[in-house]
Amino acid sequence: PDSDLRTGMTPEMSGMSNSGLSDSRAASNRLNDNQTSGLLYFYIHFVTEVVCFYTLARYVGDNPTIWLVFLSYDMLAFVPQSIIGYFSDKHPKVPLGAIGLVLLGVALLIMENVQNPYASLFILCLGNCFVHVNGAETTLRTAKGKVSGSAIFVSGGSFGVVTGKLMGGAGTSSWPLLILLASALPLAIFAQRYISEAELPFKKQCLDFKYARPGLGVGLVIVAAVTVVAVRGFMGYGIPTSWNKTAIQTVMLFSFMGVGKALGGILADRFGFKRTALVSAALAAPFLMFGDHLMVISLFGVMLFSMTMAITLGILVSVLPETPGLAFGWTTIGLFLGTAPVFFFKFTTITANCIM
């Protein structure tokens, strides 16, 4: 206002009313909240996956049926997120993230002291579900129609998976993981305030997501988006990567996957969903098909194809704006549908990968 007086202009003459300034500041604050919540949950998600895959790696041995443990984990960790997500939509103030981290710590203690793999696995999966759903709720409800915060949150998991595998395979003590969980707990409690102190009513926080084509039925959009997620899940686990023989190469594979997930959301917000989806998928295809023996080519393919993660999530929230937790749960169902077949068969030919 002082500046306007000095220039002899009223707020209305300068083209910006007081209410407009307030709206602009509010929008900026919501954007900052989304970026901050995304970064917070990047770390929380990273810690979650470190604990989960550390535990799974500890169970790996000479048992020929060990694959059942991993299949059970995928089913228990992915599928229930739709149910828990719907519960969270109805009760968004419940701090599921903090509860989930505590459950992960309990699972670790059971593994170390009670040595009951079934109880440990069940509690581990439940904690995983709680953290994922709360991360999705927090980043989507502060998004104002943007997906970069959710993309950053999800990308942390890729780095956590490979870290947990390496730590578990090396026989690292579980105490460092308990310290990681303790460091993530206050961050989850802090992030919860973005939901608890939100200005808009809960049912109106995701109405800015409008990325699904008008006129298409909700069911058709859900089936299409879940199919894309399933294909991405299958390709992520089933695509041939014969070059991946060392720990460093495995780290690079998961790192490029994580970077792709985050980059997809950032570019979608900047250049639009359709353009990002078409360009990333089209460019990914030749890299994925011909990268079996060439690490650099394969890594770029994985990164490009991972960029579709944020786009499918944004499309699902567009048709389920009042239940973002349920929308996120549909993506995890798609992941299970895509990863489950990998336990029984993989495509190893260029023709099969072209079809996928």
Side-chain angles (χ1 to χ4, degrees):
D2 292 338
S3 176
D4 289 335
L5 287 173
R6 284 194 296 270
T7 57
M9 298 176 66
T10 65
E12 290 76 11
M13 292 170 61
S14 63
M16 178 65 76
S17 66
N18 289 332
S19 61
L21 284 169
S22 299
D23 292 342
S24 177
R25 292 192 187 101
S28 177
N29 288 338
R30 283 193 292 270
L31 181 60
N32 290 335
D33 287 349
N34 183 236
Q35 294 170 341
T36 303
S37 62
L39 291 172
L40 288 173
Y41 259 96
F42 174 93
Y43 179 71
I44 296 168
H45 191 192
F46 167 79
V47 172
T48 297
E49 298 299 355
V50 169
V51 172
C52 290
F53 279 84
Y54 168 88
T55 305
L56 290 173
R58 288 285 298 272
Y59 286 136
V60 172
D62 297 327
N63 190 336
T65 61
I66 194 65
W67 64 274
L68 286 173
V69 174
F70 289 93
L71 179 61
S72 300
Y73 171 82
D74 283 354
M75 181 175 66
L76 293 174
F78 291 159
V79 177
Q81 289 189 39
S82 57
I83 301 172
I84 296 171
Y86 186 72
F87 169 84
S88 181
D89 291 327
K90 299 302 180 182
H91 309 280
K93 291 188 177 182
V94 177
L96 291 181
I99 296 172
L101 292 173
V102 172
L103 290 175
L104 292 175
V106 171
L108 270 180
L109 294 174
I110 290 176
M111 181 191 70
E112 291 289 358
N113 300 297
V114 182
Q115 296 183 346
N116 185 329
Y118 301 104
S120 178
L121 182 66
F122 177 78
I123 296 174
L124 186 81
C125 293
L126 189 61
N128 181 293
C129 288
F130 281 13
V131 171
H132 276 82
V133 167
N134 196 245
E137 290 269 10
T138 303
T139 55
L140 288 170
R141 291 184 180 277
T142 59
K144 195 63 178 176
K146 304 296 184 180
V147 292
S148 55
S150 298
I152 293 169
F153 143 61
V154 173
S155 70
S158 297
F159 299 95
V161 168
V162 68
T163 303
K165 284 183 175 182
L166 294 176
M167 291 180 67
T172 306
S173 170
S174 62
W175 285 108
L177 277 72
L178 292 172
I179 295 174
L180 284 176
L181 287 171
S183 69
L185 186 58
L187 299 182
I189 295 172
F190 177 79
Q192 182 67 27
R193 77 177 183 86
Y194 290 118
I195 296 178
S196 302
E197 301 176 7
E199 298 176 2
L200 294 174
F202 293 124
K203 289 187 176 182
K204 294 184 178 181
Q205 291 171 352
C206 295
L207 296 182
D208 290 311
F209 284 89
K210 298 176 181 178
Y211 300 110
R213 177 177 293 178
L216 294 180
V218 173
L220 180 59
V221 173
I222 291 175
V223 170
V226 170
T227 300
V228 173
V229 175
V231 171
R232 188 180 71 241
F234 182 87
M235 296 295 280
Y237 281 91
I239 189 171
T241 52
S242 60
W243 54 265
N244 185 16
K245 296 183 175 66
T246 68
I248 293 178
Q249 290 171 330
T250 302
V251 169
M252 293 183 67
L253 173 63
F254 280 90
S255 296
F256 271 73
M257 193 180 298
V259 169
K261 291 176 180 179
L263 195 59
I266 294 170
L267 293 179
D269 287 343
R270 177 66 178 84
F271 298 106
F273 271 43
K274 183 181 292 186
R275 186 180 301 175
T276 303
L278 292 176
V279 171
S280 62
L283 291 178
F287 286 100
L288 291 174
M289 289 184 292
F290 301 107
D292 183 14
H293 301 286
L294 300 172
M295 181 181 71
V296 175
I297 291 178
S298 181
L299 288 175
F300 275 103
V302 169
M303 182 184 69
L304 289 166
F305 197 61
S306 297
M307 289 168 60
T308 60
M309 184 284 303
I311 294 168
T312 49
L313 178 58
I315 290 172
L316 285 167
V317 178
S318 298
V319 295
L320 298 169
E322 295 185 2
T323 53
L326 175 62
F328 180 77
W330 276 113
T331 67
T332 59
I333 289 176
L335 278 177
F336 176 72
L337 294 176
T339 56
V342 177
F343 290 94
F344 304 99
F345 67 90
K346 294 182 181 181
F347 293 141
T348 58
T349 65
I350 291 178
T351 301
N353 283 317
C354 283
I355 293 172
M356 289 297 290

